[in-house]
Amino acid sequence: MTIPIKNREGIVRMREACAIAATVLEQLKPLVRPGITTQDLEEAGRDHIARLGARSACYGYQHGSRRYPAHTCISVNDEVVHGIPSFRRILHEGDVVSLDIVVWHDGYVGDNAFTVPVGRVTPAIEKLLRVTREALELGVCAAQVGNRIGDISSAVQTYVEANGFSVVRDMVGHGVGVSMHEPPEIPNFGRKGTGDRIRPGMTLAIEPMVNLGGFKTKTLSDGWTIVTADGSPSAHFEHTVLTTEQGPEVLTLPRAAAAKT
Ligand code: MF3
Ligand code: CO
């Protein structure tokens, strides 16, 4: 499948959708503290998305015969991605919580994620968060016109494994635009110089999912929540990036004006 190239109009709309997704994410981060539930984060996310004139791309998202039941994905500790918010899930000091926000606006989708520590966390978890965030930065830097998708994959994997952690293989990054998942797939593992050539006008969701322990995952009986097989904590950072002749441009940056509303 060919990778969609966005025209001027598409890029303008992608910018807007991504700025909204980033603003919502930014508004949720400071709410994370011991004692709140993941449902509290869901409700705040749902309300911020609505206030910014967008819709959640997660709510009702179909996978097989199931529809995702919430507006946000909130994944705690060993939950890698697609955790379903719940009023029973209370956050405790030392937890890590991954917030994944995907919005529709004006026909385009913006996708981003960030993992937040709850209060004080162990040094090992602090390192997990730092390394995953840095792996995302390296992945973004590799998204240069003329490079290949495997250059992004390799940059992420090499850095993560050099730091003693593992990259999830069952879930991958992806193109994003008029739908949440477009070609290409962007694995967080792979070899330099392989895969599709990066051209100007691609919008790519780069999203390292990194486990403190082994790379294996399983799906919980709710049909959505992906957890680490060994129960180790996991982190997830994601940006939507536009590829340009001048280099990669991160589109999921919050806008100061919007963030204040
Ligand atoms: N960012 C996630 C993804 O790319 C969002 C999934 S929404 C859900 O897969 F509905 F599947 F939860
Ligand atoms: Co994504």
Side-chain angles (χ1 to χ4, degrees):
M1 280 257 277
T2 61
I3 303 175
I5 299 295
K6 275 74 186 179
N7 60 20
R8 259 174 140 55
E9 169 88 18
I11 290 170
V12 168
R13 294 187 185 186
M14 274 303 284
R15 277 189 205 293
E16 188 64 24
C18 288
I20 292 171
T23 301
V24 173
L25 186 56
E26 203 59 26
Q27 286 167 328
L28 294 189
K29 288 178 197 172
L31 303 181
V32 171
R33 60 175 189 280
I36 69 155
T37 70
T38 55
Q39 179 65 21
D40 295 328
L41 295 168
E42 156 71 7
E43 288 171 15
R46 180 197 62 198
D47 293 351
H48 285 310
I49 292 169
R51 193 170 320 145
L52 294 169
R55 277 196 306 131
S56 165
C58 294
Y59 187 75
Y61 177 85
Q62 207 165 351
H63 181 71
S65 61
R66 293 173 194 268
R67 285 183 178 278
Y68 188 74
H71 300 78
T72 61
C73 295
I74 314 280
S75 309
V76 184
N77 295 340
D78 62 324
E79 298 171 356
V80 180
V81 286
H82 303 168
I84 302 173
S86 162
F87 63 86
R88 288 185 301 270
R89 189 71 193 249
I90 302 166
L91 298 180
H92 300 287
E93 178 109 18
D95 287 345
V96 276
V97 51
S98 300
L99 314 170
D100 192 350
I101 300 295
V102 198
V103 307
W104 274 103
H105 182 267
D106 203 11
Y108 284 81
V109 177
D111 188 359
N112 65 0
F114 195 96
T115 302
V116 188
V118 184
R120 282 179 65 105
V121 296
T122 63
I125 289 180
E126 258 175 29
K127 182 179 171 192
L128 175 71
L129 299 185
R130 175 177 58 78
V131 167
T132 311
R133 206 173 50 234
E134 290 168 351
L136 170 58
E137 286 167 20
L138 292 169
V140 170
C141 288
Q144 301 288 344
V145 167
N147 277 3
R148 290 181 183 272
I149 296 297
D151 295 327
I152 301 173
S153 309
S154 164
V156 170
Q157 180 180 22
T158 306
Y159 185 70
V160 167
E161 293 181 353
N163 278 283
F165 301 134
S166 65
V167 286
V168 169
R169 288 144 197 257
D170 299 330
M171 315 290 300
V172 295
H174 49 93
V176 53
V178 296
S179 66
M180 181 159 63
H181 298 129
E182 294 182 344
E185 290 196 343
I186 310 175
N188 294 301
F189 57 95
R191 294 200 336 273
K192 267 189 192 164
T194 64
D196 287 294
R197 177 87 60 195
I198 297 172
R199 301 187 192 286
M202 294 179 174
T203 44
L204 307 175
I206 302 176
E207 49 178 321
M209 289 156 266
V210 175
N211 299 346
L212 195 97
F215 68 83
K216 289 195 183 140
T217 68
K218 56 186 190 187
T219 307
L220 293 188
S221 58
D222 63 21
W224 290 101
T225 313
I226 311 290
V227 297
T228 59
D230 61 10
S232 70
S234 188
H236 178 211
F237 288 81
E238 175 177 27
H239 273 311
T240 300
V241 173
L242 170 71
T243 57
T244 82
E245 296 283 7
Q246 290 75 43
E249 182 187 333
V250 174
L251 296 184
T252 38
L253 294 177
R255 264 195 318 236
K260 287 199 195 86
T261 61

